[in-house]
Amino acid sequence: MTDLTAQRGLYAGPAPIVSKDLYAQVHTGSAVRDRDAVRLAPATKVSGNTYFGRFPASYWQRWTTVTEVSVEAVVTGTGLLSMGASDVEGEPRVVAAEQVADAKQTKITLTSKLDKFYDGGALWLDLETEGGQTLRVEQVRWTVEAPEKVRPTAVTICTMNRADDCLKNLQALAADVSSLETLDAIYVADQGSDLVESRDGFEQVAKDLGDKLHYIKQPNLGGAGGFTRGLFEVAGHTATEHANVLFMDDDVLLEPDLVIRMTAFSNRAANPIIVGGQMLNLFHPNQLHVGAEYARLNTLEPGQPVEHSLTTADLLGVDEETLKPNRQERRLDAGYNGWWSCLIPYEVVQATGYPLPFFFQWDDAEYSYRARAHGFPTVTLPGAGVWHADFHMKDWDEWHRYFNLRNSIITAALHSPFNLNLLSRVLLAQLVRYLLGMQYGLSATLIKAVEDFLEGPQILRDGGVEAMQEIRRIRDQYPETKRHKATDVPGIASNDIGIINSAPPPSRTVAVLIKRLLDQTRDRHRFGLGAVPADEAHWWHTSLFDTVVVTDASQEGVRVRSYDRAKMFDLAKRGAKVVQRLRKEGAAVQEQYKRAMPELTSRENWTRLYDL
């Protein structure tokens, strides 16, 4: 292999819900855009300056040893092909162009050096016809010089009772498998009771994928246990010792070209790096979740957009300030990448170990920060995207919040200064907001998370199975953790629930907080009963009610929060006590986790958890 395909030029998405404008935009005239080809009518211009159409030149110049890139296409007809480029400000220029006349399945190649993109910018292919001309362009691919040995990729999918979603992604990979030359294997770790293999289409997809598919049934060890199984299996085969492992969620809408883009980038990286794919919002398919993110570890804040990052951006819209199209022109450095799509080279596993048995939540961030400490940064690659359910449509008040809190504290203990005074203030502030908002189950969840952190690393010995069961049992004791239909709220007539909207955020937060606390301790409430939309369920508003019906963030139902003075005082005392313990014992517990890290992340520990 002399040329390595870095990405394909596609003109339509993997599903009808995806706008073709994310792949190529028709600026003038008329064009027919298919998945692998585009046909231009006379007097038409089609631009590849789009999310999936762009080649992320800045990232290739910064992180790889590639010095030039080519785009090649098979052309029939007459027209102009030009390679466009942008800089850090998004200003366009043309770096190569070729006019073709009466071509018949002619291969055209345009080339550009990767030498003017360090801080930002991309490359793309534009097509144009004049009056009386027609043009068909197909088999478009961006290529770079291949390395001496191409490292293949093993995809690993963790699934838990999402059999239909997982099967769809296997079918998508199977349908494109002839183009995925660097796809070595697919590992499916099925941890559910509703198995993927039970579906009618599984037998056919298994036949289509042949010996590439490895279907594994195992106990539910959460996302960490499911994804780690792929690393574990690849590391057990000498033939794939120098492979990449690509984590992929089971419930994403997959763009199969992601495999090509991330694998090629990793193959030509100057040094081993973790390559992350970006997340687009499934319920709003034109939206980019975030360009790149990091975590504020000591204050337990994941998902922070890095400076200059696009955030919940309409990729077909414009920036409100600059009025320029929403393009991620400036190159960004990521702190970590979510495991909806994340490629990990084998060298990282050799040097860093396996993920912690966190069950799920923060396993991706912890692993990236641990890898960074060993010299392996994370790069979030634009244009390598999958669609995942929008995060803002998932409610915070769920049992998984336990793992989010517990694992964030463990990660802070391992990879931050672990300022216990700061951390205590953060946790107390969260607890006060939860109690004021009458989220007693969520308060108990926080308390349990801190208590279990203080238990030390032995809490991770079973991979989180017992903790999952226990936190669900605890939360089941609190009525407001349960979701109801708005027309069937227990003890409340549907017609009695009217919306009471929130005031703006208080200008004097501390004063308002103290006033709300005093009112609640005296059992004083401005409203007896009311409904509050999910986006207005702030503590300063919900604390005004005796009973409040809050829309669930999923928009699928409501939660009923009712003031309970006894619960509030009991949880406040328990919370204050456990946070005080954290201040006193936290440093010693931190050392326990650090000492236990090599054993917890060892192959031997995961062999035990997998019962192999």
Side-chain angles (χ1 to χ4, degrees), residues 155-207:
V155 168
T156 181
I157 302 174
C158 168
T159 188
M160 167 69 178
N161 293 339
R162 288 174 175 154
D164 294 329
D165 292 332
C166 185
L167 180 61
K168 285 179 183 177
N169 284 322
L170 291 176
Q171 290 169 334
L173 289 168
D176 234 351
V177 73
S178 61
S179 300
L180 306 180
E181 299 172 349
T182 52
L183 177 60
D184 178 60
I186 301 169
Y187 292 93
V188 176
D190 196 336
Q191 304 184 130
S193 54
D194 183 14
L195 299 174
V196 180
E197 68 177 1
S198 70
R199 293 305 190 265
D200 290 339
F202 181 79
E203 184 177 348
Q204 183 60 51
V205 81
K207 186 181 298 183

Side-chain angles (χ1 to χ4, degrees), residues 81-84 94-98 110-112:
L81 287 76
S82 59
M83 186 187 287
V94 176
V95 294
E98 184 166 339
L110 303 175
T111 301
S112 172

Side-chain angles (χ1 to χ4, degrees), residues 55 174 218 371 472 494 551 605:
F55 178 84
Q218 66 180 38
R472 285 181 158 178
S494 177
T551 306
N605 188 44

